[in-house]
């Protein structure tokens, strides 16, 4: 008979295995692509849309950050589109970018405009990750089985050491 912990672990693995996987940022080139990225997606998938303009340093920082996050959160769909290609106003293209729009079930659930006011011009993936987690749009941990068994299990403590110090500075 299977215990509850094994059942829960296997259920999570099956759930994770069958969810759509992305692992990269999808570059959208027009309003039609923008709408299709939302309308044709599985309703259970979180879609994070970056609206940007290349001429702004904060937008380039956000693009780099989202490339990192896309590989860490493969079940979240990350997209990017230039404000000018989405036919947004000139005013938005100048002062509203970088913007992150978060969708689920086709509905806008998060709308963050002019993020350089909050994050600055130069920031890191960990800053964006924390921001999205604080607002509930990224899971706290999304690890694949490889990460769980590969990286985390390699940090074993040597309990057979002859050292008297717990910090290895004898």
């Amino acid at each position: 008979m299977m215990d509850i912990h094994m059942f829960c672990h296997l259920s999570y693995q099956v759930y994770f295995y069958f969810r759509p996987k992305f692992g990269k940022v999808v570059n959208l080139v027009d309003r039609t692509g923008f709408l299709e990225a939302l309308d044709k997606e599985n309703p259970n998938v979180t879609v994070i849309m970056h609206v940007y303009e290349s001429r702004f340093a904060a937008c380039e920082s956000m693009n780099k950050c989202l490339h990192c996050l896309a590989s860490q959160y493969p079940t979240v769909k990350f997209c990017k589109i230039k404000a000018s290609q989405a036919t947004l106003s000139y005013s938005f293209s100048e002062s509203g970018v970088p913007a992150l729009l978060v969708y689920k079930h086709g509905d806008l659930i998060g709308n963050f405009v002019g993020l350089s006011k909050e994050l600055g011009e130069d920031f890191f993936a960990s800053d964006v990750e924390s921001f999205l987690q604080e607002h509930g749009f990224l899971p706290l941990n999304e690890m694949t089985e490889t990460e769980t068994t590969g990286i985390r299990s390699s940090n074993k403590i040597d309990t057979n050491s002859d050292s008297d110090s717990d910090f290895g500075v004898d």
Side-chain angles (χ1 to χ4, degrees), residues 82-115:
K82 287 186 177 181
S84 55
Q85 292 175 325
T87 62
L88 297 174
S89 72
Y90 177 78
S91 176
F92 186 87
S93 296
E94 289 297 311
S95 61
V97 296
L100 290 179
L101 310 176
V102 185
Y103 294 86
K104 191 143 192 174
H105 301 282
D107 297 326
L108 180 67
I109 60 172
N111 185 13
F112 305 101
V113 177
L115 279 170

Side-chain angles (χ1 to χ4, degrees), residues 1-2 8 13 22 26 38 40-41 45 50 54 59 64 95 99 101 128 135-136 151 154 163:
M1 182 171 205
M2 187 181 310
C8 290
Q13 285 180 326
F22 305 97
V26 179
L38 301 172
K40 293 187 177 181
E41 191 50 68
V45 169
H50 177 215
S54 298
C59 292
K64 291 175 186 173
S95 61
L101 310 176
V128 177
H135 289 86
I151 297 170
S154 65
S163 170

